[in-house]
Amino acid sequence: MSNPNPKASLGVLLVDDHTVVRQGLRMFLATDEGLHVVGEAENGQEALDRVAQLRPDVVLMDLLMPVMDGVSAIRQIKARFPDVEVIALTSVLEDQLVVEAMHAGASGYLLKDTHPEELVEAIHAAGRGEVRLHPEAAKRLAREVRTPEMREALTPRETEILRMVGRGMSNKRIAQQLELSELTVKTHVSNLLSKLGLSSRTQAALFAIREGLVGLE
């Protein structure tokens, strides 16, 4: 990457089959000093190749594209490059597509009519390992969360951390707020996922929303 100060900003890859969309995103993101666009791709296969070449921090991924769709691309990117965060950015809010994108490993689901400031905040959040969802997407996903009979009740601390995960906070931020080590928070998150029978912090966040531990505001 050509970023002269990689620690100071996040490298972003833009993936969309419409050139005008990519150009618009590039122009807007250039106004934020904390972000820099490292490249573009017009379909999922090209996105996978660009991620391998450029190693961006965050990928903005359209979902409906030729050659390889966005969900398939997200799944392959997360399998090969788990540290790369992917935000689904699409014009479609369809239950199945939302669920498939998040199950594939997306750390966010936003619509293309999202306010630019919210998009920038979501990219920075993804760089911190946090989840950002369009409110309606969160509602639809929350309905899909299914948990088996819990083997063991959550401790008060685990419940507190679950609420914070539900608010989209990263382990680092939770650790700072609770004055715990990041490793301790990671252990708590792992334990609560096991107790709830969930496989990811995104599912835990949606569980917290569905159970009313946090709001959708």
Side-chain angles (χ1 to χ4, degrees):
M1 288 182 278
S2 60
N3 177 30
N5 191 359
K7 293 183 179 180
S9 62
L10 294 173
V12 182
L13 177 69
L14 307 177
V15 185
D16 196 292
D17 59 332
H18 293 98
T19 302
V20 67
V21 173
R22 299 196 308 272
Q23 289 177 340
L25 287 169
R26 178 182 282 274
M27 289 176 62
F28 176 75
L29 297 183
T31 65
D32 189 299
E33 294 183 356
L35 305 174
H36 66 285
V37 176
V38 299
E40 301 179 11
E42 60 183 24
N43 59 62
Q45 181 58 59
E46 193 173 302
L48 191 60
D49 295 339
R50 292 288 186 273
V51 170
Q53 296 166 358
L54 304 171
R55 300 298 175 92
D57 298 297
V58 180
V59 178
L60 290 184
M61 179 76 72
D62 188 20
L63 297 182
L64 302 178
M65 297 180 293
V67 184
M68 180 190 291
D69 64 84
V71 171
S72 298
I74 293 170
R75 188 176 295 113
Q76 291 197 40
I77 288 171
K78 294 303 292 184
R80 291 178 55 184
F81 310 99
D83 291 338
V84 175
E85 300 294 344
V86 185
I87 297 174
L89 182 64
T90 179
S91 57
V92 179
L93 188 58
E94 182 179 294
D95 286 15
Q96 183 176 355
L97 204 56
V98 173
V99 172
E100 288 180 353
M102 300 310 292
H103 284 182
S107 60
Y109 194 107
L110 299 175
L111 297 182
K112 288 181 179 177
D113 63 359
T114 296
H115 289 299
E117 294 78 10
E118 292 178 6
L119 175 59
V120 166
E121 197 280 330
I123 296 172
H124 284 291
R128 298 190 297 267
E130 300 174 5
V131 177
R132 287 294 184 273
L133 298 168
H134 185 280
E136 186 59 33
K139 291 178 184 177
R140 297 182 186 206
L141 280 162
R143 293 199 298 265
E144 297 294 324
V145 176
R146 299 289 181 269
T147 60
E149 196 68 31
M150 289 177 61
R151 294 182 289 276
E152 185 180 350
L154 298 183
T155 66
R157 177 65 89 185
E158 288 166 350
T159 301
E160 182 179 27
I161 290 176
L162 176 59
R163 285 194 180 95
M164 299 171 87
V165 170
R167 292 198 294 269
M169 297 174 66
S170 65
N171 287 351
K172 183 175 182 179
R173 286 185 63 196
I174 294 172
Q176 291 171 342
Q177 186 158 327
L178 297 181
E179 297 183 346
L180 299 171
S181 72
E182 198 168 340
L183 179 59
T184 297
V185 172
K186 185 176 181 180
T187 299
H188 281 308
V189 171
S190 178
N191 289 341
L192 70 87
L193 287 176
S194 177
K195 290 179 179 181
L196 292 173
L198 302 174
S199 60
S200 73
R201 66 187 299 116
T202 298
Q203 289 186 353
L206 296 170
F207 175 84
I209 292 169
R210 193 190 70 177
E211 295 300 311
L213 295 176
V214 295
L216 285 169
E217 296 79 9

